[in-house]
């Protein structure tokens, strides 16, 4: 075949196509080589190896105590509004709710509750692992992730509304305070996401996804439960995530997809900044519920993050939307 | 040669004196004789007597705006074309307003860039509002012009939709680039809205990332690609890196892309000319100065309106990320609410319903020039395209208002179906009824 220009019908067109094709191919090859520019080297590197042991402090730097939390935010069935209590855990920018329920002992149900408004088993059962239970006031203190399991909305769009506080958005889907012909707002209320209407029942502890409302939760998993412990002073410590639960919504890293169960413990702590380290000394012992019994354990047995064999104590600040009862906890997380 | 003659007869309406524009080149007469086998670049020769003549400065800058005549063969011509009086009808200028908005956004964006800091996004935004002279009005007008731009993009798009000017010569390509520009505009707007680090902005960022991961996009594309897309948006996800990335994409990447694609979009428009008019000898109004004055005038009016609104309703920065307020209510910017509501009311969940539905609508709009197989371009000559356009218009308006008044509310499937079918009826029935009436009238009239 004669390839001379005279025999090609449109030589310019061919030359143009060749040139353009070569240029685009060169651009693609060049582009591929800088593709990694967008991915910083520390993107998939965990910020820390294990979940941190963190002491909960108020905005002035004083440790918060269980009695203060109960006094500040303890919700009853008659509560009309509850201050939002939030701290960052396990990393910064990862809000976690601190909720105190008066008159409730959160227990571990044998099967996840599926219906009804009073699913908490009777008082003979032991409190659920990872909660703080105050037997004198019959109050449970629970910490759950404040990142919605649906599309990751954070407080204050996701917040806890107690029994007498029905958010406007939930009324639109058919909740009423006193349900007659409509679904009743639960006695202790719900953690309600106003972005897309996901509902979580704090009374159910770590298995809190609530689908008994007039409209189902678009979320498919419970808010992960953050494990809490106390020391002899009544100070509160966070030391990990309940492994029977889901992972923090924005913590999922591709590839890997949805991880539950035992996989949750090995969830990588990437994509963020570590919470600050505390200069306080480690507590000698922590009391916590483990396998449904109250145990007193040494911090080193918790498997929290350490540096050359020594447990690091971190700190995280509990903030609220208001000041209450002489406690100045108003702040930003 | 026939081509250029035709061009001359079409566009030489200008009465400017040709003699003034002396060209260095002229078309050799020989080229007409034996131009067939010669390469394109050898057809002209310099005049021997002009060879030694030095080019002289011309201080009369208005000559710059005069029509260039006798361009050497092989010149790639890109011109601003004259139009008839009809070309000054207001509906022909919807694109000019969008272009004005783009240029205004770039100008104010550069000014805001002096003070915005990705290390302290919320604080620096507050600083612009409270402490920078004119900062408040520049930031507010940057926001309102973005609103105006998105609104005008819709107006521009629907106008072309109903006029049917997305088909013909290069118009199909112009339409496709227009859809790309539309997507870039919305994306840039959403990124700009995230830059202030308000609570709603961070909710939007989380939602965007999880939608990329969890929706059909994440299910179809391999994990490494999703990871890469995510890295482009947030880097390693620390606050500073996240905002550096968002800022770079907002101020440099997408806006440069937009400007470049706009240049091609505009050039294609100048190549094709107005759809609705024919070139008529003697009726063409020269591009300079009428067209440019008209463009500047309409630009100033648009900017004036935006500035008046900015002065009257200064922007109030919403709750910062990390602040807590009991009973807060997530209200996204209005241009997001249609998509937001569509997700709620699709009735089939986000991953199976919302995201594919939005993508489907965008792909339909994208492919419109090839989907529309009607032979005529009148509104009633393309009934189902027109009806679907009306359907989209009603849909966008209903979704926007509904999403704004009741965000985050999952609707029942019954209500959703009721709404979609009533919208279908409202948009399709009148169009077909009018078409029938028109044909009936024509039939009776003849």
């Amino acid at each position: 075949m004669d390839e001379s220009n005279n025999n090609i019908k449109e030589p310019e067109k061919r030359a143009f196509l060749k040139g353009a094709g070569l240029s685009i191919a060169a651009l693609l090859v060049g582009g591929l080589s800088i593709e990694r520019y967008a991915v910083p080297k520390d993107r998939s590197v965990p910020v820390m190896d294990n979940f941190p042991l963190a002491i909960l402090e108020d905005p002035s730097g004083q440790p918060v105590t269980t009695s203060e939390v109960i006094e500040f935010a303890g919700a009853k069935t008659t509560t009309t509004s509850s201050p939002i209590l939030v701290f960052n855990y396990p990393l910064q920018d990862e809000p976690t709710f601190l909720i105190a329920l008066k008159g409730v002992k959160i227990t571990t149900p044998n099967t996840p509750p599926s219906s009804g408004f009073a699913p908490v088993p009777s008082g003979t059962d032991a409190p659920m692992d990872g909660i703080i239970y105050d037997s004198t006031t019959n109050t449970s203190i629970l910490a759950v992730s404040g990142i919605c399991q649906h599309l990751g909305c954070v407080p204050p769009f996701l917040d806890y509304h107690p029994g007498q506080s029905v958010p406007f958005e939930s009324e639109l889907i058919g909740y009423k305070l006193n349900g007659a012909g409509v679904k009743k707002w639960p006695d202790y209320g719900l953690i309600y996401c106003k972005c897309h209407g996901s509902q979580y029942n704090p009374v159910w502890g770590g298995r809190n996804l609530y689908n008994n409302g007039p409209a189902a939760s678009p979320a498919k998993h419970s808010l992960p439960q953050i494990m809490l412990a106390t020391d002899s002073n009544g100070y509160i410590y966070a030391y990990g995530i309940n492994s029977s639960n889901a992972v923090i919504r924005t913590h999922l890293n591709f590839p890997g997809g949805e991880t539950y169960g035992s996989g949750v413990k090995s969830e990588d702590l990437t994509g963020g900044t570590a919470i600050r380290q505390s200069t306080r000394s480690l507590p000698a012992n922590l009391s916590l519920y483990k396998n449904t019994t109250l145990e007193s354990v040494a911090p080193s047995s918790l498997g929290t993050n350490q540096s050359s064999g020594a447990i690091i104590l971190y700190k995280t600040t509990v903030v609220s939307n208001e000041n209450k009862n002489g406690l100045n906890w108003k702040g930003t997380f | 040669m026939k081509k250029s003659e035709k061009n001359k007869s079409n566009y030489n309406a200008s009465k400017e004196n040709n003699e003034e524009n002396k060209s260095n080149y002229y078309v050799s007469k020989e080229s007409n004789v034996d131009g067939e086998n010669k390469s394109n670049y050898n057809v002209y020769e310099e005049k021997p007597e002009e060879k030694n003549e030095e080019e002289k400065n011309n201080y009369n800058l208005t000559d710059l705006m005069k029509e260039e005549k006798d361009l050497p063969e092989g010149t790639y011509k890109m011109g601003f074309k004259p139009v008839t009086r009809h070309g000054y009808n207001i509906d022909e200028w919807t694109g000019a307003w969008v272009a004005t908005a783009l240029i205004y956004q770039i100008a104010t964006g550069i000014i805001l860039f002096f003070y915005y800091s990705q290390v302290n996004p919320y604080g620096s935004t507050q600083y612009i509002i409270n402490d920078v002279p004119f900062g408040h009005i520049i930031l507010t007008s940057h926001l309102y012009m973005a609103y105006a731009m998105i609104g005008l993009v819709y107006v521009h798009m629907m106008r072309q939709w109903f006029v049917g000017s997305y088909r013909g010569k290069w118009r199909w390509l112009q339409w496709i680039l227009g859809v790309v520009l539309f997507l870039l505009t919305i994306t840039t707007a959403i990124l700009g809205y995230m830059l202030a680090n308000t609570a709603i902005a961070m909710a939007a960022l989380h939602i965007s990332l999880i939608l990329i991961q969890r929706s059909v996009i994440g299910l179809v594309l391999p994990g490494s690609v999703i990871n890469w897309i995510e890295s482009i948006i947030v880097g390693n996800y620390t606050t500073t890196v996240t905002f550096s990335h968002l800022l770079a994409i907002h101020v440099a990447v997408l806006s440069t892309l937009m400007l470049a694609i706009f240049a091609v979009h505009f050039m294609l428009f100048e190549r094709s000319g107005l759809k609705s008019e024919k070139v008529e000898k003697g009726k063409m109004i020269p591009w300079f100065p009428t067209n440019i004055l008209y463009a500047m005038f309409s630009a100033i009016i648009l900017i004036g309106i935006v500035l008046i609104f900015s002065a009257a309703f200064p922007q109030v920065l919403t709750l910062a990320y990390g602040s807590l307020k009991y009973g807060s209510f997530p209200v996204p910017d209005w241009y997001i609410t249609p998509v937001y509501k569509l997700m709620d009311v699709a009735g089939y969940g986000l991953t199976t319903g919302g995201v594919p539905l939005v993508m489907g609508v965008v792909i339909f709009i994208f492919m419109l020039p090839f989907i529309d197989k009607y032979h005529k371009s009148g509104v009633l000559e393309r009934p189902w395209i027109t009806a679907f356009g009306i359907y989209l218009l009603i849909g966008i308006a209903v979704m926007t208002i509904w999403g704004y008044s009741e965000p985050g509310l999952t609707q029942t499937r019954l209500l959703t179906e009721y709404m979609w079918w009533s919208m279908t009826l409202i948009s399709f029935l009148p169009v077909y009824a009018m078409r029938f009436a028109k044909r009936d009238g024509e039939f009776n009239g003849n």
Side-chain angles (χ1 to χ4, degrees):
Chain A
M1 206 172 132
D2 192 355
E3 282 276 314
S4 75
N5 278 0
N6 292 339
N7 291 343
I8 299 169
K9 272 184 181 170
E10 293 172 286
E12 315 90 337
K13 189 173 174 183
R14 177 167 288 199
F16 173 76
L17 285 177
K18 270 185 193 169
L22 274 173
S23 312
I24 289 167
L27 254 171
L28 278 180
V29 171
L32 279 176
S33 66
I34 65 152
E35 146 273 332
R36 290 206 61 79
Y37 181 77
V39 189
K41 271 188 176 175
D42 56 352
R43 173 164 166 82
S44 295
V45 179
V47 174
M48 51 182 87
D49 298 331
N50 292 301
F51 281 93
L53 174 67
I55 183 167
L56 271 53
E57 295 181 345
D58 69 14
S60 67
Q62 290 302 309
V64 303
T65 61
T66 50
S67 55
E68 279 178 341
V69 169
I70 294 167
E71 190 190 344
F72 195 93
K76 290 180 282 192
T77 52
T78 52
T79 306
T80 51
S81 89
S82 173
I84 312 170
L85 283 185
V86 172
F87 63 93
N88 279 322
Y89 186 89
L91 303 178
Q92 280 181 30
D93 289 337
E94 293 187 332
T96 301
F97 288 119
L98 194 60
I99 293 167
L101 302 171
K102 282 185 177 169
V104 175
K105 187 208 274 183
I106 298 174
T107 53
T108 310
N110 295 326
T111 51
S114 57
S115 63
F117 298 108
V120 180
S122 56
T124 53
D125 292 339
M128 184 180 245
D129 285 4
I131 71 155
I132 293 172
Y133 178 66
D134 184 64
S135 53
T136 51
T137 55
N138 188 24
T139 302
S140 297
I141 297 177
L142 170 77
V144 289
S145 167
I147 298 178
C148 184
Q149 286 288 319
H150 177 225
L151 286 177
C153 277
V154 289
F157 303 128
L158 171 72
D159 67 358
Y160 170 52
H161 284 258
Q164 300 297 310
S165 160
V166 187
F168 161 69
E169 294 85 347
S170 68
E171 280 180 5
L172 290 175
I173 64 171
Y175 272 116
K176 282 285 179 303
L177 198 55
N178 299 306
V182 285
K183 288 278 186 176
K184 186 186 177 300
W185 189 245
D187 290 343
Y188 278 91
L190 293 174
I191 301 171
Y192 191 86
C193 185
K194 283 162 269 180
C195 289
H196 304 94
S198 290
Q199 301 139 56
Y200 309 93
N201 190 349
V203 171
W204 294 351
R207 290 173 171 171
N208 49 49
L209 183 68
Y210 191 76
N211 267 330
N212 301 345
S217 289
K220 293 197 174 65
H221 316 297
S222 297
L223 294 172
Q225 183 197 358
I226 308 297
M227 309 300 275
L228 297 179
T230 53
D231 68 3
S232 52
N233 296 320
Y235 297 165
I236 304 176
Y237 297 83
Y239 67 93
I241 282 191
N242 187 341
S243 59
S244 70
N245 223 322
V247 295
I248 293 173
R249 191 58 165 153
T250 50
H251 243 200
L252 295 166
N253 224 11
F254 252 92
E258 312 262 352
T259 320
Y260 314 91
S262 55
V264 178
K265 272 286 184 188
S266 59
E267 165 197 32
D268 57 6
L269 292 163
T270 62
T273 312
I275 50 177
R276 289 161 302 152
Q277 292 190 16
S278 171
T279 52
R280 289 171 199 283
S281 52
L282 277 174
N285 278 303
L286 289 171
S287 64
L288 48 89
Y289 282 98
K290 196 175 180 182
N291 301 322
T292 68
T293 49
L294 186 64
E295 288 183 16
S296 182
V297 298
S300 56
S301 69
L302 293 173
T304 54
N305 198 41
Q306 44 184 284
S307 159
S308 55
I311 300 287
I312 308 169
L313 183 64
Y314 293 85
K315 60 179 177 181
T316 180
T317 307
V318 177
V319 294
S320 175
N321 57 313
E322 57 179 297
N323 294 326
K324 207 175 160 185
N325 298 340
L327 296 167
N328 296 323
W329 288 5
K330 193 174 175 177
T332 56
F333 59 86
Chain B
M1 286 299 111
K2 271 180 185 170
K3 256 189 183 172
S4 70
E5 272 170 25
K6 198 180 175 187
N7 277 342
K8 269 187 184 174
S9 68
N10 281 342
Y11 296 113
N12 275 2
S14 155
K15 281 158 197 168
E16 296 292 325
N17 190 350
N18 293 350
E19 302 297 328
E20 282 181 17
N21 297 325
K22 271 190 184 168
S23 159
N24 285 336
Y25 305 105
Y26 69 97
V27 178
S28 158
K29 280 166 193 167
E30 290 166 12
S31 68
N32 286 337
V33 185
D34 56 359
E36 288 288 330
N37 292 325
K38 275 192 174 180
S39 141
N40 280 342
Y41 303 99
N42 289 336
V43 290
Y44 39 82
E45 292 161 10
E46 287 185 350
K47 275 184 184 175
E49 62 267 25
E50 279 185 359
K51 200 166 188 176
N52 296 326
E53 207 175 292
E54 274 293 316
E55 205 180 84
K56 284 191 180 131
N57 289 353
N58 183 353
Y59 296 108
N60 185 1
L61 291 179
T62 54
D63 281 355
L64 258 182
M65 305 308 297
K66 280 175 185 154
E67 200 178 336
E68 260 188 295
K69 298 262 167 78
D70 301 326
L71 288 164
E73 209 169 310
T75 304
Y76 182 78
K77 299 182 199 74
M78 248 186 64
F80 297 116
K81 290 180 181 169
V83 292
T84 59
R85 279 196 69 84
H86 173 81
Y88 290 96
N89 282 358
I90 201 158
D91 70 312
E92 301 284 6
W93 285 76
T94 52
W97 296 330
V98 182
T100 304
L102 175 63
I103 292 161
Y104 187 82
Q105 290 303 78
I106 291 171
T108 49
I110 289 170
I111 297 169
L112 292 171
F113 196 50
F114 277 77
Y115 290 102
Y116 176 81
S117 157
Q118 69 269 39
V119 181
N120 182 11
Y122 193 84
S124 59
T125 311
Q126 267 186 328
Y127 182 78
I128 291 171
I129 290 178
N130 297 328
D131 297 296
V132 176
F134 300 109
H136 204 162
I137 200 153
I138 288 167
L139 186 64
T140 309
S141 64
H142 192 73
L143 175 74
Y144 289 179
M145 192 58 100
Y147 289 172
M149 188 167 170
I150 293 164
L152 290 167
V153 165
Y154 278 126
V155 170
H156 185 51
M157 180 171 84
M158 294 322 290
R159 189 264 172 190
Q160 315 309 337
W161 186 304
F162 292 126
V163 171
S165 58
Y166 45 81
R167 291 185 303 180
K169 214 168 180 188
W170 307 112
R171 297 182 208 280
W172 61 274
L173 184 57
Q174 207 187 327
W175 173 268
I176 284 174
L177 291 180
V179 178
V180 174
L181 284 170
F182 165 69
L183 296 177
L184 284 174
T185 307
I186 299 276
T187 317
T188 312
I190 293 172
L191 288 172
Y193 153 87
M194 286 174 184
L195 278 179
N197 196 13
T198 54
I200 188 83
M202 282 304 94
L205 180 65
H206 283 176
I207 290 171
S208 311
L209 291 178
I210 294 174
L211 275 186
I212 292 170
Q213 291 176 354
R214 304 281 139 193
S215 73
V216 68
I217 307 168
L219 297 177
V220 170
L221 294 175
S224 54
V225 174
I226 296 297
N227 185 42
W228 185 64
I229 294 172
E230 230 181 274
S231 310
I232 293 174
I233 302 171
V234 297
N236 63 7
Y237 217 163
T238 56
T239 308
T240 309
V241 173
T242 299
F243 280 95
S244 300
H245 279 225
L246 293 178
L247 182 67
I249 301 169
H250 177 76
V251 305
V253 181
L254 294 188
S255 34
T256 307
L257 261 179
M258 227 196 290
L259 200 59
I261 296 174
F262 162 68
V264 180
H265 183 79
F266 180 67
M267 190 200 83
L268 289 173
F269 162 71
E270 287 293 350
R271 266 306 264 269
S272 314
L274 298 173
K275 172 84 169 180
S276 47
E277 72 166 15
K278 290 192 181 89
V279 173
E280 284 178 83
K281 200 173 180 182
K283 289 196 173 173
M284 307 311 285
I285 302 165
W287 184 81
F288 184 83
T290 321
N291 197 307
I292 192 161
L293 284 178
Y294 194 92
M296 286 166 73
F297 179 68
S298 73
I300 286 167
I301 292 202
L302 175 63
I303 292 170
I305 292 169
V306 167
L307 283 176
I308 288 168
F309 271 93
S310 313
F313 309 102
Q315 181 189 356
V316 180
L317 208 51
T318 54
L319 203 64
Y321 172 75
S323 313
L324 296 168
K325 197 174 157 225
Y326 194 66
S328 298
F329 190 70
V331 183
D333 265 4
W334 66 268
Y335 50 85
I336 308 174
T337 55
V339 175
Y340 186 32
K341 201 68 210 169
L342 200 58
M343 305 256 175
D344 288 341
V345 299
Y348 296 91
L350 274 173
T351 46
T352 47
V355 174
L357 191 66
V358 172
M359 283 164 72
V361 170
V362 170
I363 290 169
F364 179 89
I365 297 172
F366 201 79
M367 300 299 289
L368 182 65
F370 316 111
I371 291 169
D372 182 357
K373 297 275 185 212
Y374 289 115
H375 295 296
K376 292 178 180 171
S377 60
V379 187
L380 293 178
E381 310 289 350
R382 299 172 294 128
W384 81 262
I385 298 282
T386 302
F388 191 66
I390 296 171
Y391 181 83
L392 273 188
L393 263 187
I394 298 174
I396 291 167
V398 167
M399 294 286 106
T400 304
I401 295 165
W402 195 2
Y404 205 80
S405 55
E406 290 186 354
L409 189 67
T410 308
Q411 307 299 337
T412 60
R413 196 163 293 175
L414 186 70
L415 186 67
T416 306
E417 297 268 319
Y418 176 73
M419 190 196 68
W420 292 129
W421 285 111
S422 55
M423 270 165 54
T424 309
L425 201 70
I426 289 168
S427 46
F428 279 80
L429 201 65
V431 172
Y432 278 92
M434 279 164 74
R435 181 176 152 88
F436 177 79
K438 187 169 174 252
R439 287 210 165 163
D440 199 39
E442 278 166 0
F443 181 74
N444 289 335
N446 289 335

